[in-house]
Amino acid sequence: MNKRTILFVLGLSAAIVSLAQSLYVPLLPDLQRDLQTSLSLVNLTVTLFTVAMAVMQVVLGPVVDRNGRRKILIPGMIIYVLATVGCMFSFSIDMLLIFRVLQGIGAAAVPLVAATMIGDVFEGKERAESMATYQMILGISPAVGPLIGGLIGSVAGYTGAFGFAAASAVLIMIFAIFMLPETKPANSSVKGTRPGLKAFSRIFKSKTGRVVLISGFVLYDVFYTFIVFLPMILESQYGLGAAKIGLFSLALMAFNLAGSKLSGKLQAKIGSVKALFLAGSLVIISLVIFIFAAQLSLVLLLVALMLTGFVSGLAMPAMPTLLSAEFVQERATAMGVYNFIRYLGMAAAPMIGSVLYPAGGTSLLIGITAVFVGIAVIATRRLLSSKEEQTV
């Protein structure tokens, strides 16, 4: 099997199941009306999916390490498809909430196994470039999900959106069944493997593990801070409407994808640790620029926003690349813990921001976010120093 084909199928698989996070968000008002329920319960359908997906990362990681990749990936996709069909035909909010949890459980297996398999199949510079390509493909989902959902929903409602999600998942599942091999390393079950709690212990005790987890939490907190609060900043300071705000959000996403793609070349040239340190440092600079640019003009704000998206994209693929290289026997467990932590970063962004933004506006919100990134950069610098000492 061609390795590039494997990468493409894995990237599309993860992107398609991730559509469930954003595809029907524009249709939430229709959902509330059709199911005759409250706004809080409708929003809970989004939250429960994310929570289920996050928790299952930690649960499934050791299972994937022990039992193999395909044995978990295919059943996970089947559960996702069945649950999505269940969402499509839900006639009450209670029924939809149950199927959204099941949908999140099934979806959780896909990005976890995808990142693990990429770590299995590729090595060295190829691994860094492949992780960057995977991150770019995965990043397309939140960028186009609301757009696709809105277009389909305008014609066929939220049932049509879920129907599209189920049909596309069935299609990519067929490709996965026939085109993806088992990639579990042959020696991953030999004596010395650290199953269960020992695997988690090694990940948290490792300096690489701690740095990646800190950086993952912080960088995804940064990115989702912009996703959540950019509309408020643009509306309050420049009076922009929803359509123009959407263009700014699209610019953030587009430059993040471009940075993710170029991250592989950067890692291949200077190494993953140095790439993470450099990109993290540039994120701090971009955030400081954004604080001042946001006060000066809309054009400068856009430039600073695109810079932040780009340098964030440079950093993100370096983290799973480092984990894949460091943890061979516990690769899936490490990926699961990392995914769980970065999901926590996403969830923390609106909570932290809801305190900071009302208290001090853009300057306080982005300034404190820059401090968080500074902590991650310091941790990365210490890891870089230790790596350099090992090579002396």
Side-chain angles (χ1 to χ4, degrees), residues 248-322:
F248 276 74
S249 297
L250 185 60
L252 173 68
M253 293 286 190
F255 275 81
N256 183 261
L257 295 181
S260 295
K261 180 58 180 175
L262 289 179
S263 175
K265 297 185 182 299
L266 179 64
Q267 292 181 67
K269 187 173 183 178
I270 67 175
S272 297
V273 180
K274 288 183 179 179
L276 181 58
F277 174 76
L278 175 62
S281 301
L282 292 175
V283 169
I284 297 174
I285 294 173
S286 72
L287 292 175
V288 173
I289 292 174
F290 184 88
I291 291 173
F292 291 100
Q295 311 300 325
L296 296 175
S297 76
L298 193 59
V299 173
L300 291 178
L301 182 151
L302 177 61
V303 172
L305 181 69
M306 292 187 295
L307 176 62
T308 301
F310 181 77
V311 295
S312 297
L314 282 179
M316 288 172 176
M319 295 176 284
T321 303
L322 285 168

Side-chain angles (χ1 to χ4, degrees), residues 4 25 85 93-94 102 107 164 175 186 192 221 266 285 297 333:
R4 306 306 296 182
V25 169
V85 173
I93 188 62
D94 293 335
L102 293 174
F164 172 82
F175 281 101
D221 173 82
L266 179 64
I285 294 173
S297 76
T333 303

